[in-house]
C-alpha cells in the first residue's frame, strides 16, 4: 500500500502456457466433457469452447490479481497500462475489462491517460522519472 507502486504495466494477458502439462491435462478434460455433451461439434469448435471456458476465466482471475498488486486499499491510486492488443482485438478481451470494478475508468488514448494521471496527481515528474523511462514513454 502507498505511493511505492503507482503504475502497473501488463505486457501480455496472463494466460497459462499451453504446453504446461497441468494445463494440457485440464484442457483435454474440458474437451472430453464437451465431446460427450455435444458430439456433433467438430474439433476446432471443441478446442475453442475449451479455451473460452477453461483458459480465459483463469487468465481473467490472474489479470484481476495484477490489479490487486496496485490497489491494496481505498487510498491507493495508480494507472494500469495494458500493452497486449488482444484485450481490444479478440472477442474474449471484453471479459478482462468487465472483470474490473465498474468505478475504474478505462481510457484508450494517450491524451486521456495524461489527463487522468494529472487528475489523480500521478503525472510523472522530472525528479521521479529516469531518462530511460522518459525516452520509452515518448516512444509509445
Amino acid at each position: 500500500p502507498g505511493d511505492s507502486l503507482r503504475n502497473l504495466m501488463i505486457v501480455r494477458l496472463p494466460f497459462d502456457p499451453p504446453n504446461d502439462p497441468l494445463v494440457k491435462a485440464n484442457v483435454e478434460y474440458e474437451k472430453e466433457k464437451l465431446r460427450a455433451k455435444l458430439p456433433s461439434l467438430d474439433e476446432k469448435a471443441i478446442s475453442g469452447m475449451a479455451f473460452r471456458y477453461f483458459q480465459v476465466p483463469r487468465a481473467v482471475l490472474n489479470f484481476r490479481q495484477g490489479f490487486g498488486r496496485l490497489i491494496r486499499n481505498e487510498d491507493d491510486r495508480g494507472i494500469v497500462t495494458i500493452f497486449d492488443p488482444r484485450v481490444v482485438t479478440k472477442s474474449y478481451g471484453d471479459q478482462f475489462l468487465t472483470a474490473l470494478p465498474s468505478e475504474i475508468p478505462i481510457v484508450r488514448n494517450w491524451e486521456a491517460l495524461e489527463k487522468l494521471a494529472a487528475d489523480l496527481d500521478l503525472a510523472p515528474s522530472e525528479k521521479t522519472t529516469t531518462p530511460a523511462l522518459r525516452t520509452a514513454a515518448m516512444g509509445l
Side-chain angles (χ1 to χ4, degrees):
D3 291 341
S4 59
L5 179 60
R6 304 293 294 262
N7 192 351
L8 174 67
M9 295 183 182
I10 298 176
V11 177
R12 296 185 52 125
L13 295 177
F15 284 102
D16 292 326
N19 60 348
D20 178 277
L22 186 57
V23 172
K24 277 183 176 181
N26 282 317
V27 168
E28 193 53 42
Y29 174 74
E30 291 298 321
K31 285 180 176 181
E32 287 301 320
K33 286 191 328 187
L34 289 165
R35 284 184 195 108
K37 280 185 184 177
L38 306 163
S40 63
L41 287 182
D42 65 9
E43 191 58 31
K44 185 175 179 181
I46 297 270
S47 293
M49 289 177 74
F51 174 77
R52 189 175 309 118
Y53 296 124
F54 176 72
Q55 291 175 287
V56 171
R58 289 174 56 97
V60 169
L61 177 63
N62 289 333
F63 181 76
R64 283 181 54 105
Q65 288 172 338
F67 272 78
R69 302 284 184 233
L70 178 64
I71 307 298
R72 300 255 179 187
N73 63 48
E74 58 188 52
D75 296 328
D76 282 344
R77 296 174 182 209
I79 293 175
V80 175
T81 308
I82 305 166
F83 292 100
D84 193 327
R86 294 177 294 177
V87 79
V88 293
T89 61
K90 296 293 186 181
S91 61
Y92 57 79
D94 276 349
Q95 289 179 298
F96 287 87
L97 299 180
T98 58
L100 300 174
S102 60
E103 64 271 7
I104 293 178
I106 296 173
V107 297
R108 297 179 190 267
N109 65 54
W110 189 256
E111 292 78 23
L113 178 62
E114 286 179 327
K115 181 180 179 336
L116 178 63
D119 290 348
L120 294 174
D121 195 27
L122 295 173
S125 69
E126 291 297 318
K127 286 192 314 185
T128 61
T129 308
T130 66
L133 286 177
R134 281 193 299 274
T135 303
M138 287 188 294
L140 295 177

